[in-house]
Amino acid sequence: MSTSFRPLWLAVPAVLLLAGCGNAAEVAIGEPAEIANGTLTVTEVRQGTAQDVEVLDLEDLQQHTPYFVRYQVAFEEGTPENEQNLSTALWDGEATGGEISPVWVQQLGDVFPCNGVAEVTAGRGEGCQLLMVEPGETLEAVEYAGRARWPVNGS
């Protein structure tokens, strides 16, 4: 009996966090930044292709360019397990123009390699956030919760 898995996804509109606007600490890729309940380190930002995300069937974002943001997170000791996650709605960034759409993907099976925080063990985990950038635009920086900004390619 063969069971096929289909990932669930949800495109989240870009959110302006007015409270954090302009206050994000600028850090280099590979350097940690303070978040509400620990530290977050963006370890890699890679531009993808339409073929990389075709399994998701992103009708509204078909012409957009995917960017894969790989990261490590370390939660503070004592952070309850139900708070050991990163909200897709808090990922944002800057592009040469247009909006950025964070996409939440829940992996079912081994279908898609970028699905938020992977397993958290002893308060630490690694993950991947998918960001979609409008056609013809380039991602210049990644931000999380208005607290940290990681320039991409020296932006």
Side-chain angles (χ1 to χ4, degrees):
M1 182 170 128
S2 172
T3 304
S4 96
F5 293 100
R6 185 168 174 91
L8 302 174
W9 64 269
L10 173 64
V12 180
V15 176
L16 274 180
L17 300 170
L18 299 178
C21 193
N23 295 327
E26 190 159 309
V27 291
I29 291 178
E31 296 295 320
E34 300 267 335
I35 58 171
N37 54 352
T39 60
L40 176 65
T41 305
V42 170
T43 58
E44 177 187 27
V45 178
R46 180 182 64 83
Q47 181 177 334
T49 66
Q51 290 78 22
D52 292 334
V53 295
E54 68 187 359
V55 69
L56 299 178
D57 195 24
L58 299 172
E59 291 178 22
D60 296 342
L61 302 172
Q62 273 186 350
Q63 303 303 314
H64 287 58
T65 303
Y67 284 86
F68 298 93
V69 180
R70 300 219 176 266
Y71 61 85
Q72 297 174 340
V73 62
F75 296 103
E76 293 172 349
E77 190 172 325
T79 301
E81 282 188 31
N82 65 339
E83 293 179 22
Q84 293 184 8
N85 57 49
L86 299 178
S87 172
T88 295
L90 297 179
W91 284 98
D92 198 9
E94 297 172 23
T96 52
E99 290 187 5
I100 294 171
S101 297
V103 178
W104 176 71
V105 179
Q106 178 172 341
Q107 185 171 338
L108 299 174
D110 198 17
V111 178
F112 193 69
C114 186
N115 64 327
V117 177
E119 186 175 326
V120 175
T121 304
R124 297 182 178 281
E126 294 184 1
C128 180
Q129 175 62 52
L130 175 60
L131 300 177
M132 300 295 285
V133 176
E134 287 189 344
E137 307 301 336
T138 303
L139 185 66
E140 293 184 330
V142 174
E143 291 186 21
Y144 185 77
R147 299 189 82 136
R149 178 183 186 275
W150 292 267
V152 176
N153 298 326
S155 296

